[in-house]
Amino acid sequence: ANAGDEALALERTVFDELAAQSQGRAVEIEAVAKALAAVDVLAALAEIAADANWVRPKVDDSLDFEIVGGRHPVVEEALRSRGEPFVPNDCDLTGKIGKNCSESGGRIAVVTGPNMAGKSTFLRQNALIAVLAQIGSFVPATKAHIGVVDRLFSRVGASDDLARGRSTFMVEMVETAAILNQASEKSLVILDEIGRGTATYDGLSIAWAVMEHLHEANRARALFATHFHELTHLGQRLPRLANLCMRVTDWNGEVVFLHEVAKGAADRSYGVQVARLAGLPAKVVERARHILAELEQTDRRAPVARLVADLPLFAILESQSAAPAKGDPLRTALDALNPDEMTPRAALDALYALKKAADS
């Protein structure tokens, strides 16, 4: 009857002795644990570098960011398990624009192209390569030269925080605000579809202003994926902005994603084709094609080109908003009025006088 109690008492005694000995050797045990953790990490990085053909990156204190043949390590492994190849892509965010350009800061690459073409993968793989390089690891690329990144900022994906009263778009704006308020010249920023959670013109306006602020104020190296093709025209005015697009092709009426990044801007988003691949009813897809054809009859490129030429840059807007307003006769006359001391008849006469002055 006492055997179970005696066995439990012995177990507790042995455990207490072991715990006491462990506490007495806590410093040595912690040192061994840290050493084993470091060996585990280094061994894992060395093994994957050898198996997946990673290369040693060049890391320095410059603003360079040049990746040749970069790959996404997780996506590449998933494709390899299915016997499919991963398409590598180059990325150059180095702020060298030309001999005659004295602009400092990194390059902003605007990435356009359809959904499913690989824009988000391209953004994330370059961010992962930067992180791997700075922890001392080899990287999934053919060649890599990365200037040290002080902070990595990411605004990718869609999420909400309904418990705190934040919609998807509100969360997007909060995160974008944090980036614009904190990113420096040595930061790396990846932004995916800024402005997509609101009306078209609202979203385009916000994305446009964010792009200008990144270029003029933050001056960070950045990848900016968007479906607002109008933003590609900013390359005419922003010297460190480059346009990249995901290559696609049509084959017998079917869209084929090549997953290749090329210089230039995409001319369309292939949204209707992607919707068909997702399984939308044929009638819906056909109706969407018809509506799209009618909307595209109006050429939007010329108005956008004029808009780019007419709108001042972000920095100019700041200087103009800070300048005091010049003399305005109507404003002067309005400031001279005191509504609290006017009778209704006097107020009406003053209104007619202002209207007459405006017409003249």
Side-chain angles (χ1 to χ4, degrees):
N2 296 329
D5 293 338
E6 292 176 357
L8 182 59
L10 289 173
E11 290 177 4
R12 289 178 175 173
T13 300
V14 172
F15 179 79
D16 291 341
E17 292 177 355
L18 179 61
Q21 294 179 18
S22 299
Q23 290 178 350
R25 297 295 184 97
V27 176
E28 293 92 334
I29 293 175
E30 183 179 4
V32 171
K34 289 182 177 179
L36 288 174
V39 170
D40 180 39
V41 171
L42 295 175
L45 291 174
E47 181 178 356
I48 192 172
D51 293 344
N53 195 27
W54 290 11
V55 299
R56 179 181 179 179
K58 177 183 179 182
V59 181
D60 54 27
D61 199 36
S62 68
L63 293 178
D64 290 352
F65 192 96
E66 183 180 4
I67 309 298
V68 178
R71 312 186 302 275
H72 192 297
V74 179
V75 176
E76 181 183 31
E77 182 60 30
L79 291 175
R80 182 188 304 173
S81 65
R82 301 201 301 262
E84 301 176 15
F86 183 92
V87 179
N89 283 297
D90 302 343
C91 180
D92 187 3
L93 302 179
T94 302
K96 298 175 182 177
I97 308 302
K99 295 181 179 180
N100 299 326
C101 182
S102 59
E103 290 256 351
S104 64
R107 180 174 296 183
I108 301 175
V110 181
V111 186
T112 53
N115 288 312
M116 304 290 293
K119 295 194 302 294
S120 296
T121 299
F122 180 68
L123 266 61
R124 299 181 193 200
Q125 77 183 36
N126 286 290
L128 286 173
I129 288 173
V131 172
L132 288 170
Q134 292 197 189
I135 67 173
S137 170
F138 280 32
V139 298
T142 303
K143 179 183 177 182
H145 179 192
I146 299 174
V148 171
V149 175
D150 62 356
R151 281 176 292 186
L152 170 63
F153 294 97
S154 171
R155 166 73 277 243
V156 176
S159 61
D160 55 38
D161 190 358
L162 298 181
R164 298 185 180 180
R166 292 179 177 180
S167 65
T168 302
F169 181 66
M170 185 62 178
V171 171
E172 176 185 328
M173 290 297 98
V174 168
E175 295 180 358
T176 304
I179 294 173
L180 298 182
N181 289 324
Q182 299 180 56
S184 72
E185 190 179 69
K186 296 186 72 66
S187 301
L188 176 62
V189 179
I190 60 172
L191 297 169
D192 194 3
E193 305 295 354
I194 293 297
R196 64 182 171 184
T198 185
T200 302
Y201 288 121
D202 283 354
L204 174 58
S205 302
I206 292 171
W208 189 308
V210 168
M211 184 89 70
E212 288 186 350
H213 193 280
L214 280 174
H215 187 277
E216 299 297 313
N218 302 110
R219 314 184 81 83
R221 292 160 286 183
L223 289 167
F224 196 112
T226 183
H227 281 290
F228 294 131
H229 296 161
E230 294 86 349
L231 296 178
T232 61
H233 294 276
L234 284 173
Q236 302 170 13
R237 299 186 56 188
L238 305 181
R240 295 193 316 280
L241 189 145
N243 288 319
L244 301 177
C245 64
M246 307 303 301
R247 290 189 59 202
V248 296
T249 185
D250 286 318
W251 178 257
N252 294 331
E254 301 289 334
V255 59
V256 179
F257 304 115
L258 303 179
H259 304 295
E260 294 179 2
V261 178
K263 294 182 179 180
D267 58 349
R268 50 193 297 202
S269 290
Y270 294 91
V272 176
Q273 288 86 339
V274 174
R276 186 188 61 78
L277 291 175
L280 259 64
K283 290 184 178 180
V284 174
V285 174
E286 188 58 34
R287 176 59 177 160
R289 291 184 193 275
H290 178 72
I291 296 173
L292 179 62
E294 292 186 356
L295 293 176
E296 288 181 339
Q297 287 181 359
T298 303
D299 187 4
R300 296 184 299 169
R301 294 185 179 179
V304 171
R306 289 197 298 270
L307 186 62
V308 171
D310 293 341
L311 280 181
L313 288 178
F314 185 85
I316 300 177
L317 281 173
E318 284 186 339
S319 63
Q320 289 180 346
S321 63
K326 296 182 179 179
D328 184 348
L330 287 176
R331 183 178 295 275
T332 302
L334 191 61
D335 290 339
L337 299 177
N338 188 350
D340 294 333
E341 298 178 357
M342 300 175 67
T343 64
R345 179 56 183 253
L348 187 61
D349 291 341
L351 181 60
Y352 278 117
L354 291 173
K355 181 69 168 60
K356 182 177 180 181
D359 294 339
S360 61

mmCIF file of all heavy atoms in Angstrom, residues 43-76:
data_model
loop_
_atom_site.group_PDB
_atom_site.id
_atom_site.type_symbol
_atom_site.label_atom_id
_atom_site.label_comp_id
_atom_site.label_asym_id
_atom_site.label_seq_id
_atom_site.Cartn_x
_atom_site.Cartn_y
_atom_site.Cartn_z
ATOM 1 N N ALA A 43 24.906 25.890 -38.720
ATOM 2 C CA ALA A 43 24.896 24.624 -39.461
ATOM 3 C C ALA A 43 23.717 24.565 -40.426
ATOM 4 O O ALA A 43 23.842 24.104 -41.566
ATOM 5 C CB ALA A 43 24.848 23.449 -38.491
ATOM 6 N N ALA A 44 22.549 25.058 -39.974
ATOM 7 C CA ALA A 44 21.370 25.057 -40.836
ATOM 8 C C ALA A 44 21.572 25.977 -42.039
ATOM 9 O O ALA A 44 21.251 25.622 -43.176
ATOM 10 C CB ALA A 44 20.137 25.487 -40.036
ATOM 11 N N LEU A 45 22.130 27.184 -41.800
ATOM 12 C CA LEU A 45 22.383 28.110 -42.898
ATOM 13 C C LEU A 45 23.430 27.555 -43.862
ATOM 14 O O LEU A 45 23.307 27.703 -45.081
ATOM 15 C CB LEU A 45 22.841 29.466 -42.353
ATOM 16 C CG LEU A 45 21.773 30.280 -41.601
ATOM 17 C CD1 LEU A 45 22.397 31.534 -40.995
ATOM 18 C CD2 LEU A 45 20.622 30.651 -42.531
ATOM 19 N N ALA A 46 24.461 26.901 -43.309
ATOM 20 C CA ALA A 46 25.493 26.318 -44.171
ATOM 21 C C ALA A 46 24.924 25.184 -45.013
ATOM 22 O O ALA A 46 25.242 25.056 -46.206
ATOM 23 C CB ALA A 46 26.655 25.816 -43.318
ATOM 24 N N GLU A 47 24.070 24.376 -44.411
ATOM 25 C CA GLU A 47 23.492 23.240 -45.138
ATOM 26 C C GLU A 47 22.598 23.713 -46.284
ATOM 27 O O GLU A 47 22.710 23.217 -47.410
ATOM 28 C CB GLU A 47 22.687 22.367 -44.167
ATOM 29 C CG GLU A 47 22.067 21.144 -44.826
ATOM 30 C CD GLU A 47 21.303 20.270 -43.843
ATOM 31 O OE1 GLU A 47 21.330 20.585 -42.638
ATOM 32 O OE2 GLU A 47 20.678 19.293 -44.293
ATOM 33 N N ILE A 48 21.726 24.693 -46.006
ATOM 34 C CA ILE A 48 20.834 25.146 -47.074
ATOM 35 C C ILE A 48 21.609 25.915 -48.134
ATOM 36 O O ILE A 48 21.275 25.862 -49.325
ATOM 37 C CB ILE A 48 19.685 26.011 -46.498
ATOM 38 C CG1 ILE A 48 18.611 26.214 -47.567
ATOM 39 C CG2 ILE A 48 20.190 27.347 -45.984
ATOM 40 C CD1 ILE A 48 17.358 26.888 -47.046
ATOM 41 N N ALA A 49 22.694 26.616 -47.727
ATOM 42 C CA ALA A 49 23.490 27.337 -48.715
ATOM 43 C C ALA A 49 24.154 26.368 -49.685
ATOM 44 O O ALA A 49 24.249 26.621 -50.890
ATOM 45 C CB ALA A 49 24.538 28.197 -48.012
ATOM 46 N N ALA A 50 24.617 25.232 -49.147
ATOM 47 C CA ALA A 50 25.260 24.239 -50.005
ATOM 48 C C ALA A 50 24.247 23.505 -50.873
ATOM 49 O O ALA A 50 24.477 23.281 -52.067
ATOM 50 C CB ALA A 50 26.032 23.242 -49.135
ATOM 51 N N ASP A 51 23.099 23.155 -50.288
ATOM 52 C CA ASP A 51 22.096 22.385 -51.031
ATOM 53 C C ASP A 51 21.372 23.220 -52.086
ATOM 54 O O ASP A 51 21.042 22.712 -53.161
ATOM 55 C CB ASP A 51 21.068 21.791 -50.062
ATOM 56 C CG ASP A 51 21.679 20.730 -49.157
ATOM 57 O OD1 ASP A 51 22.786 20.254 -49.481
ATOM 58 O OD2 ASP A 51 21.057 20.395 -48.125
ATOM 59 N N ALA A 52 21.119 24.508 -51.777
ATOM 60 C CA ALA A 52 20.306 25.344 -52.669
ATOM 61 C C ALA A 52 21.146 26.303 -53.504
ATOM 62 O O ALA A 52 20.580 27.187 -54.164
ATOM 63 C CB ALA A 52 19.289 26.133 -51.846
ATOM 64 N N ASN A 53 22.447 26.164 -53.454
ATOM 65 C CA ASN A 53 23.336 26.976 -54.298
ATOM 66 C C ASN A 53 23.221 28.464 -53.985
ATOM 67 O O ASN A 53 23.055 29.300 -54.871
ATOM 68 C CB ASN A 53 23.038 26.728 -55.783
ATOM 69 C CG ASN A 53 24.155 27.246 -56.683
ATOM 70 O OD1 ASN A 53 25.306 27.331 -56.265
ATOM 71 N ND2 ASN A 53 23.809 27.604 -57.908
ATOM 72 N N TRP A 54 23.318 28.811 -52.703
ATOM 73 C CA TRP A 54 23.343 30.200 -52.296
ATOM 74 C C TRP A 54 24.765 30.753 -52.435
ATOM 75 O O TRP A 54 25.733 29.995 -52.509
ATOM 76 C CB TRP A 54 22.870 30.352 -50.851
ATOM 77 C CG TRP A 54 21.402 30.078 -50.666
ATOM 78 C CD1 TRP A 54 20.536 29.532 -51.574
ATOM 79 C CD2 TRP A 54 20.637 30.322 -49.485
ATOM 80 N NE1 TRP A 54 19.282 29.414 -51.046
ATOM 81 C CE2 TRP A 54 19.307 29.892 -49.759
ATOM 82 C CE3 TRP A 54 20.923 30.843 -48.242
ATOM 83 C CZ2 TRP A 54 18.295 29.990 -48.817
ATOM 84 C CZ3 TRP A 54 19.912 30.941 -47.291
ATOM 85 C CH2 TRP A 54 18.606 30.518 -47.584
ATOM 86 N N VAL A 55 24.893 32.090 -52.446
ATOM 87 C CA VAL A 55 26.204 32.719 -52.612
ATOM 88 C C VAL A 55 26.485 33.674 -51.457
ATOM 89 O O VAL A 55 25.567 34.114 -50.748
ATOM 90 C CB VAL A 55 26.288 33.495 -53.947
ATOM 91 C CG1 VAL A 55 26.095 32.564 -55.119
ATOM 92 C CG2 VAL A 55 25.264 34.632 -53.988
ATOM 93 N N ARG A 56 27.767 33.974 -51.305
ATOM 94 C CA ARG A 56 28.180 34.902 -50.263
ATOM 95 C C ARG A 56 27.964 36.336 -50.740
ATOM 96 O O ARG A 56 28.509 36.740 -51.767
ATOM 97 C CB ARG A 56 29.652 34.695 -49.923
ATOM 98 C CG ARG A 56 30.179 35.649 -48.850
ATOM 99 C CD ARG A 56 31.647 35.383 -48.595
ATOM 100 N NE ARG A 56 32.188 36.291 -47.590
ATOM 101 C CZ ARG A 56 33.452 36.254 -47.167
ATOM 102 N NH1 ARG A 56 34.293 35.373 -47.685
ATOM 103 N NH2 ARG A 56 33.868 37.108 -46.251
ATOM 104 N N PRO A 57 27.181 37.145 -50.019
ATOM 105 C CA PRO A 57 26.917 38.516 -50.467
ATOM 106 C C PRO A 57 28.032 39.473 -50.050
ATOM 107 O O PRO A 57 28.773 39.207 -49.091
ATOM 108 C CB PRO A 57 25.615 38.873 -49.749
ATOM 109 C CG PRO A 57 25.711 38.105 -48.458
ATOM 110 C CD PRO A 57 26.431 36.810 -48.789
ATOM 111 N N LYS A 58 28.128 40.571 -50.760
ATOM 112 C CA LYS A 58 29.011 41.658 -50.357
ATOM 113 C C LYS A 58 28.175 42.664 -49.580
ATOM 114 O O LYS A 58 27.215 43.210 -50.095
ATOM 115 C CB LYS A 58 29.648 42.327 -51.571
ATOM 116 C CG LYS A 58 30.534 43.514 -51.219
ATOM 117 C CD LYS A 58 31.098 44.191 -52.462
ATOM 118 C CE LYS A 58 31.956 45.397 -52.093
ATOM 119 N NZ LYS A 58 32.474 46.091 -53.304
ATOM 120 N N VAL A 59 28.542 42.893 -48.328
ATOM 121 C CA VAL A 59 27.807 43.815 -47.468
ATOM 122 C C VAL A 59 28.754 44.933 -47.039
ATOM 123 O O VAL A 59 29.836 44.661 -46.512
ATOM 124 C CB VAL A 59 27.234 43.094 -46.229
ATOM 125 C CG1 VAL A 59 26.452 44.074 -45.359
ATOM 126 C CG2 VAL A 59 26.325 41.947 -46.650
ATOM 127 N N ASP A 60 28.356 46.181 -47.280
ATOM 128 C CA ASP A 60 29.184 47.310 -46.885
ATOM 129 C C ASP A 60 28.296 48.440 -46.382
ATOM 130 O O ASP A 60 27.101 48.250 -46.150
ATOM 131 C CB ASP A 60 30.062 47.782 -48.060
ATOM 132 C CG ASP A 60 29.259 48.081 -49.319
ATOM 133 O OD1 ASP A 60 28.061 48.428 -49.182
ATOM 134 O OD2 ASP A 60 29.805 47.947 -50.433
ATOM 135 N N ASP A 61 28.864 49.615 -46.202
ATOM 136 C CA ASP A 61 28.139 50.742 -45.629
ATOM 137 C C ASP A 61 27.617 51.693 -46.704
ATOM 138 O O ASP A 61 27.318 52.844 -46.422
ATOM 139 C CB ASP A 61 29.055 51.507 -44.665
ATOM 140 C CG ASP A 61 28.259 52.390 -43.709
ATOM 141 O OD1 ASP A 61 27.173 51.969 -43.296
ATOM 142 O OD2 ASP A 61 28.717 53.506 -43.400
ATOM 143 N N SER A 62 27.509 51.235 -47.933
ATOM 144 C CA SER A 62 27.045 52.077 -49.028
ATOM 145 C C SER A 62 25.521 52.056 -49.098
ATOM 146 O O SER A 62 24.841 51.453 -48.269
ATOM 147 C CB SER A 62 27.633 51.589 -50.353
ATOM 148 O OG SER A 62 27.090 50.315 -50.686
ATOM 149 N N LEU A 63 24.973 52.728 -50.115
ATOM 150 C CA LEU A 63 23.534 52.695 -50.385
ATOM 151 C C LEU A 63 23.211 51.751 -51.538
ATOM 152 O O LEU A 63 22.131 51.823 -52.121
ATOM 153 C CB LEU A 63 23.020 54.100 -50.720
ATOM 154 C CG LEU A 63 23.049 55.125 -49.587
ATOM 155 C CD1 LEU A 63 22.550 56.484 -50.074
ATOM 156 C CD2 LEU A 63 22.224 54.662 -48.397
ATOM 157 N N ASP A 64 24.159 50.863 -51.857
ATOM 158 C CA ASP A 64 23.948 49.933 -52.965
ATOM 159 C C ASP A 64 22.917 48.865 -52.599
ATOM 160 O O ASP A 64 22.744 48.504 -51.432
ATOM 161 C CB ASP A 64 25.259 49.256 -53.366
ATOM 162 C CG ASP A 64 26.214 50.224 -54.041
ATOM 163 O OD1 ASP A 64 25.783 51.355 -54.325
ATOM 164 O OD2 ASP A 64 27.374 49.863 -54.278
ATOM 165 N N PHE A 65 22.238 48.383 -53.616
ATOM 166 C CA PHE A 65 21.344 47.227 -53.461
ATOM 167 C C PHE A 65 21.223 46.593 -54.837
ATOM 168 O O PHE A 65 20.385 46.984 -55.644
ATOM 169 C CB PHE A 65 19.968 47.636 -52.932
ATOM 170 C CG PHE A 65 19.125 46.475 -52.495
ATOM 171 C CD1 PHE A 65 19.076 46.088 -51.168
ATOM 172 C CD2 PHE A 65 18.377 45.755 -53.415
ATOM 173 C CE1 PHE A 65 18.305 45.011 -50.761
ATOM 174 C CE2 PHE A 65 17.603 44.681 -53.025
ATOM 175 C CZ PHE A 65 17.576 44.300 -51.694
ATOM 176 N N GLU A 66 22.069 45.642 -55.095
ATOM 177 C CA GLU A 66 22.103 45.001 -56.408
ATOM 178 C C GLU A 66 22.043 43.486 -56.237
ATOM 179 O O GLU A 66 22.961 42.881 -55.678
ATOM 180 C CB GLU A 66 23.357 45.393 -57.176
ATOM 181 C CG GLU A 66 23.408 44.817 -58.584
ATOM 182 C CD GLU A 66 24.659 45.215 -59.342
ATOM 183 O OE1 GLU A 66 25.533 45.882 -58.744
ATOM 184 O OE2 GLU A 66 24.767 44.847 -60.533
ATOM 185 N N ILE A 67 20.969 42.908 -56.690
ATOM 186 C CA ILE A 67 20.765 41.459 -56.617
ATOM 187 C C ILE A 67 20.705 40.910 -58.028
ATOM 188 O O ILE A 67 19.925 41.391 -58.859
ATOM 189 C CB ILE A 67 19.466 41.106 -55.861
ATOM 190 C CG1 ILE A 67 19.392 41.829 -54.516
ATOM 191 C CG2 ILE A 67 19.360 39.596 -55.684
ATOM 192 C CD1 ILE A 67 20.478 41.469 -53.549
ATOM 193 N N VAL A 68 21.513 39.915 -58.313
ATOM 194 C CA VAL A 68 21.505 39.260 -59.619
ATOM 195 C C VAL A 68 20.994 37.834 -59.421
ATOM 196 O O VAL A 68 21.544 37.074 -58.618
ATOM 197 C CB VAL A 68 22.904 39.240 -60.253
ATOM 198 C CG1 VAL A 68 22.875 38.503 -61.591
ATOM 199 C CG2 VAL A 68 23.434 40.653 -60.430
ATOM 200 N N GLY A 69 19.959 37.477 -60.153
ATOM 201 C CA GLY A 69 19.420 36.119 -60.049
ATOM 202 C C GLY A 69 18.851 35.802 -58.684
ATOM 203 O O GLY A 69 19.019 34.684 -58.177
ATOM 204 N N GLY A 70 18.149 36.758 -58.073
ATOM 205 C CA GLY A 70 17.578 36.536 -56.745
ATOM 206 C C GLY A 70 16.412 35.564 -56.764
ATOM 207 O O GLY A 70 15.666 35.478 -57.742
ATOM 208 N N ARG A 71 16.247 34.837 -55.653
ATOM 209 C CA ARG A 71 15.176 33.833 -55.558
ATOM 210 C C ARG A 71 14.531 33.911 -54.174
ATOM 211 O O ARG A 71 15.171 34.316 -53.201
ATOM 212 C CB ARG A 71 15.732 32.416 -55.795
ATOM 213 C CG ARG A 71 16.624 32.304 -57.007
ATOM 214 C CD ARG A 71 17.043 30.868 -57.294
ATOM 215 N NE ARG A 71 17.738 30.223 -56.199
ATOM 216 C CZ ARG A 71 19.056 30.332 -55.974
ATOM 217 N NH1 ARG A 71 19.801 31.103 -56.765
ATOM 218 N NH2 ARG A 71 19.624 29.696 -54.976
ATOM 219 N N HIS A 72 13.277 33.502 -54.098
ATOM 220 C CA HIS A 72 12.570 33.423 -52.816
ATOM 221 C C HIS A 72 12.821 32.035 -52.230
ATOM 222 O O HIS A 72 12.411 31.025 -52.823
ATOM 223 C CB HIS A 72 11.072 33.648 -53.019
ATOM 224 C CG HIS A 72 10.316 33.876 -51.750
ATOM 225 N ND1 HIS A 72 10.224 32.923 -50.760
ATOM 226 C CD2 HIS A 72 9.620 34.965 -51.302
ATOM 227 C CE1 HIS A 72 9.496 33.391 -49.762
ATOM 228 N NE2 HIS A 72 9.126 34.632 -50.066
ATOM 229 N N PRO A 73 13.501 31.929 -51.085
ATOM 230 C CA PRO A 73 13.900 30.612 -50.591
ATOM 231 C C PRO A 73 12.739 29.668 -50.299
ATOM 232 O O PRO A 73 12.836 28.468 -50.565
ATOM 233 C CB PRO A 73 14.691 30.933 -49.312
ATOM 234 C CG PRO A 73 14.237 32.299 -48.911
ATOM 235 C CD PRO A 73 13.923 33.014 -50.183
ATOM 236 N N VAL A 74 11.643 30.194 -49.761
ATOM 237 C CA VAL A 74 10.514 29.329 -49.401
ATOM 238 C C VAL A 74 9.750 28.897 -50.647
ATOM 239 O O VAL A 74 9.432 27.708 -50.822
ATOM 240 C CB VAL A 74 9.580 30.059 -48.414
ATOM 241 C CG1 VAL A 74 8.389 29.161 -48.059
ATOM 242 C CG2 VAL A 74 10.332 30.463 -47.162
ATOM 243 N N VAL A 75 9.452 29.855 -51.542
ATOM 244 C CA VAL A 75 8.722 29.522 -52.768
ATOM 245 C C VAL A 75 9.554 28.581 -53.632
ATOM 246 O O VAL A 75 9.024 27.637 -54.242
ATOM 247 C CB VAL A 75 8.360 30.803 -53.536
ATOM 248 C CG1 VAL A 75 7.677 30.464 -54.861
ATOM 249 C CG2 VAL A 75 7.455 31.694 -52.690
ATOM 250 N N GLU A 76 10.852 28.831 -53.700
ATOM 251 C CA GLU A 76 11.709 27.972 -54.509
ATOM 252 C C GLU A 76 11.690 26.533 -53.997
ATOM 253 O O GLU A 76 11.608 25.577 -54.781
ATOM 254 C CB GLU A 76 13.147 28.497 -54.489
ATOM 255 C CG GLU A 76 14.102 27.671 -55.340
ATOM 256 C CD GLU A 76 15.537 28.154 -55.242
ATOM 257 O OE1 GLU A 76 15.919 28.670 -54.175
ATOM 258 O OE2 GLU A 76 16.276 28.002 -56.229
#
